[in-house]
Amino acid sequence: MASKLTGNGIIEGSRIILPEHRQAYLNEMDKQEKRGKPVLDDQEIQLIEQAIFESYQECRSIALTVFNPFDDEELRGVVTAIDKPSRRIKLVRGEEDYSWIRIEEITAASI
């Protein structure tokens, strides 16, 4: 006679998913689903580049919204370098805390 137990010790017919667990699982999958990058018009791109240039010229603090497939990141700091060939900026947030950000990934900027 064949055993009804599988490799994990659970009887095959006793697997049940409660509706609450199914809905919680679907909600979590929706949150983790990647989203597309928004398309910016030319005027918005000009405003972002102007704010970056002002931060660079005047050493003023700037707030940048950087695109992330799951959730946008809000970064605040001072632009200390602009790398034109690779179109990225160096944003310094602290004494030794900085990051290189591609300009194409910036969705909003404000001084």
Side-chain angles (χ1 to χ4, degrees):
M1 187 190 276
S3 174
K4 290 188 177 186
L5 296 178
T6 60
N8 60 5
I10 298 175
I11 298 175
E12 281 295 320
S14 68
R15 293 186 185 172
I16 298 173
I17 298 176
L18 295 174
E20 299 85 22
H21 293 164
R22 181 179 182 278
Q23 190 60 41
Y25 174 77
L26 292 176
N27 290 341
E28 187 64 30
M29 290 295 108
D30 285 343
K31 282 197 313 189
Q32 291 184 1
E33 192 171 300
K34 289 185 179 181
R35 58 191 176 92
K37 184 178 178 215
V39 178
L40 302 176
D41 62 352
D42 291 336
Q43 185 177 8
E44 185 75 24
I45 293 171
Q46 275 186 328
L47 291 173
I48 291 170
E49 290 176 349
Q50 181 181 356
I52 290 170
F53 189 69
E54 285 180 26
S55 174
Y56 176 69
Q57 287 289 320
E58 301 171 9
C59 295
R60 293 173 59 187
S61 181
I62 187 172
L64 300 175
T65 304
V66 181
F67 173 75
N68 186 316
F70 299 105
D71 191 23
D72 289 342
E73 297 177 65
E74 184 78 25
L75 301 175
R76 180 169 282 285
V78 178
V79 177
T80 58
I82 299 175
D83 185 10
K84 288 183 182 180
S86 62
R87 293 193 46 82
R88 60 186 189 148
I89 61 169
K90 182 178 182 180
L91 185 72
V92 176
R93 295 184 298 261
E95 196 168 308
E96 292 186 16
D97 184 20
Y98 68 90
S99 58
W100 286 95
I101 304 168
R102 292 189 14 224
I103 294 175
E104 292 82 24
E105 297 297 318
I106 299 171
T107 57
S110 62
I111 293 183

